[in-house]
Amino acid sequence: QVRPVESGGGSVEAGGSLRLACAASGITASRDCMAWFREAPGKEREGVAATYAGGGRTLFADSVKGRFSMSRDNAKSTLYLQMNRLEPEDTAMYYCAAATGPGCLVTLRAENTYPYWGQGTQVTVSS
């Protein structure tokens, strides 16, 4: 059973940084897929970043390129999302999603891609 659990959200001023963590028990293979999504009030869920659990192919949304990065601690089955130069537009609930391989897709699409989702962690950026 794969159970992503997010942590690390909070409130920061614009220009600040946060690091989110996704501990995903059951994600053990290098070709499993993991991703970060976010959802702001009144907006559709948006893909932020995605990667293989073992590294390799990595995707970032255009809106976060150059500001967000990902890293992994495979011993802890944990994926991190480092968010720098945060903007008020980054305010949202952030979700970790996962899929087990082989054949899972590293994608920023949420529909019919990742069967496992966490409960989310709130990020609030004030101007």
Side-chain angles (χ1 to χ4, degrees):
Q1 183 74 20
V2 177
R3 299 182 62 183
V5 178
E6 306 94 338
S7 62
S11 298
V12 295
E13 294 184 350
S17 298
L18 283 173
R19 188 177 77 158
L20 306 183
C22 173
S25 60
I27 293 294
T28 57
S30 62
R31 301 310 280 178
D32 290 339
C33 301
M34 299 182 72
W36 288 97
F37 290 81
R38 65 187 182 186
E39 189 170 337
K43 296 185 177 181
E44 293 186 355
R45 187 165 294 189
E46 174 191 20
V48 175
T51 186
Y52 285 114
R57 176 173 169 81
T58 301
L59 297 175
F60 288 94
D62 288 344
S63 58
V64 306
K65 282 180 181 176
R67 300 189 297 122
F68 289 13
S69 62
M70 285 189 294
S71 61
R72 303 167 312 281
D73 184 337
N74 291 328
K76 298 180 179 179
S77 296
T78 299
L79 178 69
Y80 299 97
L81 182 68
Q82 178 67 44
M83 305 185 297
N84 298 326
R85 304 202 311 274
L86 283 161
E87 303 169 353
E89 293 73 20
D90 296 316
T91 294
M93 185 71 79
Y94 282 70
Y95 297 92
C96 179
T100 53
C104 63
L105 294 176
V106 172
T107 176
L108 297 181
R109 292 187 299 109
E111 297 78 19
N112 300 318
T113 51
Y114 300 95
Y116 307 107
W117 291 79
Q119 294 299 307
T121 186
Q122 178 68 37
V123 172
T124 303
V125 185
S126 59
S127 57

